Amino acid sequence: MEKKKILFINNNFMYSDGTTTALIGLANNLDPKKFDITIKSLFYFDQDILKNLKPGIKVEPCFGFYFRGFKRIVKLLPARFWYKVFVKEKYDVEVAFQCDLPTFMVNASENRKAKHLYWMHGWDNYPEIYKNADRVVCVSRHNEERCREECKGNVKVTHLYNILDDSIIVEKSKIAVPEEFKFSKKQKPLFVTVGRLSPEKGYVRLVKIFRELKDEGFNFSLVIIGGGPEEEAIKSAVKENKMEGFITMTGALNFPYNVIAQGDCFVCSSFNEGYSTACTEAAILGLPIITTSVPGGKEIIDSCECGLLTELDDESLKAGIRKVLQNPDLLSQWKEKMNTTKEHFSLKTRVSEMNAFFDEIYKSCEAN
């Protein structure tokens, strides 16, 4: 069996990045007898994260750094230029694993013999580019249907859920928790949320929502795990709303699973997602989920067979959290259900779907 060379291009390769986690899960579970894997990371690059990849997977940083406004500078030159700078070898499969520059680079590829795949984590509106794809892969059924509709059926599109190794997540959740991150004895229920602290995650509004619920007389705790550009704004919101005794921010944690596992309920307050990696990790750990109706949100709740889907606006999200606070037995019922439904997110279930897809890609390369 001849190996096929497959290239993944992504924006960043770093902790606290759901797309990085998804790419690691995919790369680690591709058949090494069929594929020789190379990852090219354009901007942020964390050398330490390489230990999470299986031997034999090559990772090549491109710029290796990022600063605010750098992407605008990079885009002053055409994507074809950057493709030629960073892609020196010939690959059988070229995958744009994120939107923006990776997508433009693969679209600019002059390697017409290669199969070209475009991964859509959120909603990336590139209908003219997607028409050139051998396959567009969405990480939620919601966006697959939207892509098919908005591209008027002219795109070969499917969906594959992100792959996470549930055994690693569960194993790391059992690691002893440092004293500063022991939250299990805080005021119940303990809500947990994890993500990059950026505007689309909705954390500033989440602080306000919990302050309003506190004013209604409810008791609770909230732990926010992550780092990012809005970190100072969120800290200011906690202080201004006098929520220091109710809300704790941990900063970014490489492996937050032992902290997440202390929680009673996971909250996704996002305005936009593809298919939330953080929600998937919480589900694997058996935490019930409240999520806004971002793409993939309904699919996650349907797979859990419990939890709560709210609309995107503040009042709907607040009403969902209030419902849990008003009905203490609800979380216990949901946790019992999660004991069985968390298997829907397991590595075994999702790898079989992914391997079926890449077997098809391999055969199409053989046919060339």
Side-chain angles (χ1 to χ4, degrees):
M1 180 182 294
E2 181 186 356
K3 280 190 178 185
K4 302 303 177 186
K5 294 175 66 177
I6 184 167
L7 169 67
F8 293 92
I9 304 178
N10 69 324
N11 284 314
N12 303 304
F13 206 66
M14 57 189 287
Y15 287 109
S16 300
D17 182 273
T19 307
T20 299
T21 303
L23 180 51
I24 289 171
L26 195 164
N28 280 342
N29 289 283
L30 276 177
D31 189 342
K33 295 179 182 178
K34 292 182 177 179
F35 293 102
D36 181 37
I37 304 164
T38 298
I39 297 170
K40 288 187 181 288
S41 177
L42 294 175
F43 299 109
Y44 282 118
F45 177 72
D46 189 339
Q47 180 80 23
D48 184 59
I49 206 170
L50 295 179
K51 65 188 179 186
N52 298 312
L53 284 166
K54 289 183 177 178
I57 298 172
K58 296 184 285 292
V59 180
E60 300 172 358
C62 297
F63 297 110
F65 63 90
Y66 183 76
F67 55 84
R68 189 171 183 177
F70 186 43
K71 282 186 182 179
R72 290 197 297 272
I73 297 172
V74 169
K75 287 181 181 179
L76 293 175
L77 293 172
R80 187 180 302 277
F81 171 82
W82 295 118
Y83 179 89
K84 289 180 177 179
V85 168
F86 293 125
V87 184
K88 300 297 187 182
E89 297 183 49
K90 292 290 185 182
Y91 294 89
D92 300 292
V93 185
E94 297 178 339
V95 185
F97 200 70
Q98 278 184 290
C99 67
D100 206 37
L101 188 55
T103 299
F104 301 145
M105 285 174 62
V106 170
N107 186 60
S109 169
E110 295 178 355
N111 182 5
R112 303 326 301 170
K113 291 185 177 180
K115 298 298 176 183
H116 297 101
L117 312 181
Y118 299 85
W119 233 261
M120 190 190 298
H121 293 272
W123 175 249
D124 312 325
N125 194 16
Y126 307 137
E128 294 306 313
I129 289 179
Y130 290 150
K131 289 177 184 178
N132 302 327
D134 290 287
R135 194 67 65 89
V136 175
V137 182
C138 300
V139 298
S140 69
R141 185 182 292 109
H142 175 281
N143 275 347
E144 177 193 355
E145 293 168 353
R146 181 176 177 180
C147 183
R148 186 174 288 111
E149 179 181 348
E150 297 206 11
C151 294
K152 305 185 187 307
N154 295 322
V155 171
K156 296 177 182 178
V157 59
T158 189
H159 76 275
L160 287 173
Y161 293 130
N162 290 334
I163 293 172
L164 301 177
D165 192 330
D166 49 313
S167 65
I168 292 176
I169 291 170
V170 171
E171 178 187 350
K172 290 188 180 296
S173 75
K174 296 175 181 177
I175 295 173
V177 183
E179 283 298 324
E180 66 268 30
F181 296 139
K182 287 184 178 179
F183 302 119
S184 58
K185 293 182 180 180
K186 289 182 75 70
Q187 179 66 49
K188 298 288 185 176
L190 175 60
F191 295 91
V192 180
T193 188
V194 182
R196 189 165 186 264
L197 305 187
S198 50
E200 72 275 7
K201 300 297 184 180
Y203 291 138
V204 171
R205 63 101 169 246
L206 188 62
V207 172
K208 179 185 174 186
I209 286 170
F210 272 106
R211 192 263 298 163
E212 291 171 353
L213 290 168
K214 184 197 76 169
D215 291 347
E216 292 177 22
F218 293 110
N219 289 312
F220 53 80
S221 297
L222 169 66
V223 176
I224 300 174
I225 303 170
E230 272 209 325
E231 186 165 354
E232 291 307 315
I234 298 165
K235 286 180 179 178
S236 294
V238 171
K239 186 175 181 179
E240 289 167 7
N241 286 278
K242 299 180 180 179
M243 293 295 289
E244 294 93 335
F246 295 83
I247 298 177
T248 304
M249 297 176 64
T250 68
L253 303 176
N254 290 348
F255 297 104
Y257 309 122
N258 54 357
V259 179
I260 297 171
Q262 299 174 70
D264 299 302
C265 184
F266 188 89
V267 181
C268 174
S269 57
S270 295
F271 295 105
N272 188 38
E273 290 279 351
Y275 185 97
S276 172
T277 299
C279 281
T280 306
E281 291 170 336
I284 288 169
L285 293 172
L287 264 69
I289 295 164
I290 299 173
T291 178
T292 52
S293 55
V294 290
K298 183 178 185 302
E299 292 160 60
I300 289 170
I301 296 300
D302 287 348
S303 295
C304 291
E305 298 179 20
C306 65
L308 199 59
L309 183 73
T310 79
E311 296 303 320
L312 291 172
D313 62 281
D314 295 9
E315 286 303 316
S316 295
L317 180 56
K318 181 166 66 174
I321 298 170
R322 184 191 292 117
K323 180 177 180 179
V324 169
L325 293 170
Q326 288 175 331
N327 299 275
D329 293 338
L330 197 55
L331 286 178
S332 298
Q333 295 167 17
W334 286 350
K335 282 186 174 182
E336 186 173 347
K337 172 61 73 173
M338 289 296 300
N339 285 333
T340 55
T341 59
K342 62 186 180 183
E343 293 300 319
H344 296 161
F345 302 88
S346 70
L347 179 69
K348 180 180 178 180
T349 300
R350 295 191 168 180
V351 163
S352 62
E353 298 166 352
M354 184 269 292
N355 278 331
F357 172 79
F358 277 98
D359 281 347
E360 180 185 337
I361 298 299
Y362 182 90
K363 290 174 183 175
S364 67
C365 291
E366 287 278 271
N368 279 354

